[in-house]
Amino acid sequence: MRRMKKTVLGMGLALAMLVVPFQQVLAEETTGEIRQVDNVAHRGASGYAPENTIAAFDKAVEMKADYIEIDVQRSKDGQLVVIHDTTVDRTTNGTGSVKDLTFEQIRSLDAGSWMGEEFAGEEIPTFAEVLERYHGKIGILIELKAPQLYPGIEETVAMMLKERNLDKPQNEKIIIQSFNFESMEKINSLLPYVPIGVLTSSSADTTDQALKEFASYAEYFNPSYRIVTEELVDKVHSLDMGISSWTVRSQETADFLLDMNVDAIITDYPDYVDPRN
Ligand code: G3P
Ligand code: CA
């Protein structure tokens, strides 16, 4: 994965052409790339530990995944927290919408017991904690979950990455994605060097016109595996975007996506993608 922003790539190529013969640049552009599928632990290694907790992210590191995928939302009092659903009901011992609970209320919840007593006491992590604990150790695929519920969340995310120098061209494998395309266009202008992905499960978003529009601000087109075809992968690649697909919960789906030649596989079970894990 880790596609560079097109602007940076353009600058790099122009610079290279000044110092090495054109033939050589072309050769490097067209030959010799060893394809590698990135293994992205969905909400952490969530097949083995409660999703979006430190236990699941640590497990992903232990399993040598390339990235963790995290879902970011905001508490009532403005803290960015890592949780998938817009309510805490399914994955904690509490109830209510993330946006209506204070950070103190969210932090007091048990986000592990629902999966097993051995995970009792796992907390909902903050976005800051995840950045600090994992950057440089494993890539972080940041999903802005339902950003329309959190006006201004893009500015906060941008500020937090900038404060940690994680917004630079050679960043430490940070990618931002969302189902909300408007939000991703905004992120693209706030963080011009951070690669962006658009998420969809709709074939309506796979038309030539739609893909061309995405390619104007995103480096990745990230569809549900249910709409992946060889033709789609080729089209996405021809627009110079990468393709990361989700969500693997069986060996069969992992094998299908490996056959489809996608660039990254987003999985609850990192070992289905790479049996060495
Ligand atoms: O990273 C892709 C995937 O996370 C999108 O779906 O619902 O699991 O956030 P969801
Ligand atoms: Ca997600």
Tab-separated table of all heavy atoms in Angstrom, residues 158-184:
chain	number	residue	atom	x	y	z
A	158	ALA	N	-6.536	16.727	11.306
A	158	ALA	CA	-5.387	17.343	10.622
A	158	ALA	C	-4.421	17.943	11.642
A	158	ALA	O	-3.204	17.746	11.564
A	158	ALA	CB	-5.872	18.414	9.644
A	159	MET	N	-4.972	18.647	12.627
A	159	MET	CA	-4.126	19.275	13.638
A	159	MET	C	-3.340	18.211	14.429
A	159	MET	O	-2.138	18.355	14.658
A	159	MET	CB	-5.012	20.088	14.582
A	159	MET	CG	-4.270	20.877	15.623
A	159	MET	SD	-5.434	21.522	16.838
A	159	MET	CE	-5.907	20.036	17.718
A	160	MET	N	-4.028	17.139	14.786
A	160	MET	CA	-3.363	16.106	15.598
A	160	MET	C	-2.236	15.414	14.819
A	160	MET	O	-1.212	15.046	15.391
A	160	MET	CB	-4.390	15.098	16.116
A	160	MET	CG	-5.294	15.726	17.169
A	160	MET	SD	-6.584	14.623	17.734
A	160	MET	CE	-5.642	13.428	18.676
A	161	LEU	N	-2.428	15.229	13.528
A	161	LEU	CA	-1.356	14.624	12.722
A	161	LEU	C	-0.194	15.598	12.560
A	161	LEU	O	0.973	15.218	12.685
A	161	LEU	CB	-1.883	14.188	11.353
A	161	LEU	CG	-2.887	13.026	11.352
A	161	LEU	CD1	-3.280	12.665	9.924
A	161	LEU	CD2	-2.329	11.784	12.045
A	162	LYS	N	-0.542	16.873	12.331
A	162	LYS	CA	0.518	17.874	12.152
A	162	LYS	C	1.346	18.021	13.420
A	162	LYS	O	2.570	18.121	13.365
A	162	LYS	CB	-0.086	19.221	11.750
A	162	LYS	CG	-0.535	19.242	10.294
A	162	LYS	CD	-1.162	20.562	9.932
A	162	LYS	CE	-1.582	20.564	8.460
A	162	LYS	NZ	-2.344	21.739	8.081
A	163	GLU	N	0.665	18.043	14.572
A	163	GLU	CA	1.390	18.178	15.855
A	163	GLU	C	2.428	17.074	16.034
A	163	GLU	O	3.419	17.243	16.731
A	163	GLU	CB	0.401	18.080	17.023
A	163	GLU	CG	-0.340	19.367	17.297
A	163	GLU	CD	-1.470	19.160	18.313
A	163	GLU	OE1	-1.713	18.004	18.747
A	163	GLU	OE2	-2.120	20.151	18.647
A	164	ARG	N	2.171	15.927	15.428
A	164	ARG	CA	3.081	14.781	15.581
A	164	ARG	C	3.948	14.549	14.354
A	164	ARG	O	4.565	13.491	14.206
A	164	ARG	CB	2.249	13.524	15.889
A	164	ARG	CG	1.590	13.593	17.247
A	164	ARG	CD	0.500	12.551	17.423
A	164	ARG	NE	-0.072	12.643	18.762
A	164	ARG	CZ	-1.011	13.526	19.128
A	164	ARG	NH1	-1.494	14.400	18.255
A	164	ARG	NH2	-1.464	13.542	20.374
A	165	ASN	N	3.937	15.533	13.423
A	165	ASN	CA	4.719	15.403	12.189
A	165	ASN	C	4.345	14.179	11.376
A	165	ASN	O	5.202	13.547	10.763
A	165	ASN	CB	6.221	15.324	12.515
A	165	ASN	CG	6.810	16.697	12.571
A	165	ASN	OD1	6.390	17.597	11.844
A	165	ASN	ND2	7.777	16.869	13.464
A	166	LEU	N	3.065	13.835	11.405
A	166	LEU	CA	2.627	12.645	10.668
A	166	LEU	C	1.911	13.040	9.380
A	166	LEU	O	1.218	12.231	8.773
A	166	LEU	CB	1.708	11.781	11.551
A	166	LEU	CG	2.394	11.185	12.778
A	166	LEU	CD1	1.399	10.471	13.683
A	166	LEU	CD2	3.494	10.212	12.353
A	167	ASP	N	2.096	14.267	8.969
A	167	ASP	CA	1.407	14.766	7.770
A	167	ASP	C	2.372	14.978	6.612
A	167	ASP	O	2.018	15.573	5.613
A	167	ASP	CB	0.717	16.098	8.080
A	167	ASP	CG	1.733	17.184	8.435
A	167	ASP	OD1	2.675	16.883	9.204
A	167	ASP	OD2	1.591	18.316	7.944
A	168	LYS	N	3.593	14.480	6.757
A	168	LYS	CA	4.624	14.766	5.751
A	168	LYS	C	4.599	13.720	4.633
A	168	LYS	O	4.048	12.644	4.800
A	168	LYS	CB	5.998	14.753	6.427
A	168	LYS	CG	6.135	15.754	7.560
A	168	LYS	CD	6.165	17.178	7.018
A	168	LYS	CE	6.460	18.210	8.079
A	168	LYS	NZ	5.347	18.436	9.010
A	169	PRO	N	5.220	14.064	3.455
A	169	PRO	CA	5.211	13.112	2.350
A	169	PRO	C	5.727	11.732	2.765
A	169	PRO	O	5.155	10.723	2.416
A	169	PRO	CB	6.145	13.747	1.309
A	169	PRO	CG	6.144	15.198	1.630
A	169	PRO	CD	5.884	15.324	3.101
A	170	GLN	N	6.806	11.710	3.520
A	170	GLN	CA	7.335	10.409	3.950
A	170	GLN	C	6.753	10.067	5.322
A	170	GLN	O	7.470	9.815	6.274
A	170	GLN	CB	8.869	10.460	4.026
A	170	GLN	CG	9.549	10.669	2.691
A	170	GLN	CD	9.212	9.568	1.685
A	170	GLN	OE1	8.998	8.430	2.052
A	170	GLN	NE2	9.158	9.917	0.410
A	171	ASN	N	5.446	10.083	5.425
A	171	ASN	CA	4.858	9.843	6.743
A	171	ASN	C	5.031	8.379	7.143
A	171	ASN	O	5.460	7.545	6.351
A	171	ASN	CB	3.383	10.267	6.772
A	171	ASN	CG	2.516	9.337	5.951
A	171	ASN	OD1	2.682	8.124	6.004
A	171	ASN	ND2	1.597	9.896	5.191
A	172	GLU	N	4.666	8.111	8.392
A	172	GLU	CA	4.905	6.756	8.871
A	172	GLU	C	3.690	5.878	8.607
A	172	GLU	O	3.002	5.453	9.511
A	172	GLU	CB	5.284	6.820	10.345
A	172	GLU	CG	6.548	7.636	10.506
A	172	GLU	CD	6.985	7.754	11.946
A	172	GLU	OE1	7.196	6.718	12.582
A	172	GLU	OE2	7.102	8.879	12.420
A	173	LYS	N	3.403	5.686	7.330
A	173	LYS	CA	2.289	4.826	6.889
A	173	LYS	C	0.954	5.221	7.528
A	173	LYS	O	0.333	4.452	8.244
A	173	LYS	CB	2.611	3.357	7.159
A	173	LYS	CG	3.770	2.831	6.315
A	173	LYS	CD	3.712	1.333	6.065
A	173	LYS	CE	3.798	0.495	7.299
A	173	LYS	NZ	3.896	-0.952	7.030
A	174	ILE	N	0.561	6.465	7.279
A	174	ILE	CA	-0.737	6.962	7.728
A	174	ILE	C	-1.608	7.178	6.487
A	174	ILE	O	-1.191	7.845	5.540
A	174	ILE	CB	-0.599	8.322	8.457
A	174	ILE	CG1	0.366	8.234	9.638
A	174	ILE	CG2	-1.963	8.881	8.852
A	174	ILE	CD1	-0.173	7.611	10.884
A	175	ILE	N	-2.803	6.611	6.496
A	175	ILE	CA	-3.764	6.799	5.395
A	175	ILE	C	-5.106	7.151	6.043
A	175	ILE	O	-5.435	6.638	7.123
A	175	ILE	CB	-3.897	5.502	4.572
A	175	ILE	CG1	-2.549	5.106	3.948
A	175	ILE	CG2	-4.959	5.659	3.466
A	175	ILE	CD1	-2.546	3.731	3.310
A	176	ILE	N	-5.879	8.026	5.392
A	176	ILE	CA	-7.204	8.383	5.924
A	176	ILE	C	-8.261	7.969	4.911
A	176	ILE	O	-8.094	8.198	3.704
A	176	ILE	CB	-7.302	9.900	6.201
A	176	ILE	CG1	-6.183	10.311	7.171
A	176	ILE	CG2	-8.673	10.253	6.780
A	176	ILE	CD1	-6.190	11.779	7.552
A	177	GLN	N	-9.344	7.350	5.396
A	177	GLN	CA	-10.412	6.916	4.489
A	177	GLN	C	-11.778	7.192	5.113
A	177	GLN	O	-11.914	7.370	6.332
A	177	GLN	CB	-10.271	5.412	4.182
A	177	GLN	CG	-10.447	4.522	5.409
A	177	GLN	CD	-10.510	3.028	5.092
A	177	GLN	OE1	-10.379	2.622	3.948
A	177	GLN	NE2	-10.729	2.212	6.109
A	178	SER	N	-12.813	7.208	4.249
A	178	SER	CA	-14.181	7.366	4.749
A	178	SER	C	-15.174	6.982	3.661
A	178	SER	O	-14.844	7.003	2.461
A	178	SER	CB	-14.435	8.813	5.174
A	178	SER	OG	-15.718	8.936	5.760
A	179	PHE	N	-16.385	6.654	4.105
A	179	PHE	CA	-17.500	6.495	3.166
A	179	PHE	C	-18.024	7.879	2.757
A	179	PHE	O	-18.817	7.978	1.827
A	179	PHE	CB	-18.654	5.725	3.825
A	179	PHE	CG	-18.384	4.252	4.005
A	179	PHE	CD1	-17.913	3.752	5.210
A	179	PHE	CD2	-18.628	3.360	2.976
A	179	PHE	CE1	-17.682	2.393	5.382
A	179	PHE	CE2	-18.405	2.000	3.139
A	179	PHE	CZ	-17.933	1.512	4.349
A	180	ASN	N	-17.641	8.912	3.511
A	180	ASN	CA	-18.117	10.260	3.243
A	180	ASN	C	-17.111	10.968	2.316
A	180	ASN	O	-16.042	11.411	2.740
A	180	ASN	CB	-18.266	11.011	4.574
A	180	ASN	CG	-18.860	12.386	4.389
A	180	ASN	OD1	-18.513	13.103	3.457
A	180	ASN	ND2	-19.746	12.771	5.288
A	181	PHE	N	-17.457	11.080	1.037
A	181	PHE	CA	-16.503	11.567	0.034
A	181	PHE	C	-16.185	13.055	0.227
A	181	PHE	O	-15.058	13.490	-0.001
A	181	PHE	CB	-17.040	11.313	-1.380
A	181	PHE	CG	-17.457	9.881	-1.623
A	181	PHE	CD1	-18.533	9.584	-2.449
A	181	PHE	CD2	-16.773	8.827	-1.024
A	181	PHE	CE1	-18.921	8.265	-2.675
A	181	PHE	CE2	-17.149	7.504	-1.233
A	181	PHE	CZ	-18.232	7.230	-2.064
A	182	GLU	N	-17.209	13.808	0.621
A	182	GLU	CA	-16.998	15.246	0.849
A	182	GLU	C	-15.933	15.460	1.931
A	182	GLU	O	-15.060	16.326	1.832
A	182	GLU	CB	-18.308	15.848	1.339
A	182	GLU	CG	-18.727	17.108	0.641
A	182	GLU	CD	-20.108	17.512	1.114
A	182	GLU	OE1	-21.101	16.964	0.581
A	182	GLU	OE2	-20.177	18.345	2.023
A	183	SER	N	-16.053	14.662	2.968
A	183	SER	CA	-15.102	14.747	4.076
A	183	SER	C	-13.680	14.446	3.583
A	183	SER	O	-12.704	15.094	3.991
A	183	SER	CB	-15.528	13.762	5.166
A	183	SER	OG	-14.584	13.687	6.182
A	184	MET	N	-13.553	13.477	2.671
A	184	MET	CA	-12.218	13.129	2.157
A	184	MET	C	-11.657	14.224	1.243
A	184	MET	O	-10.448	14.452	1.221
A	184	MET	CB	-12.259	11.777	1.438
A	184	MET	CG	-12.472	10.608	2.367
A	184	MET	SD	-11.224	10.469	3.702
A	184	MET	CE	-11.967	11.391	5.031
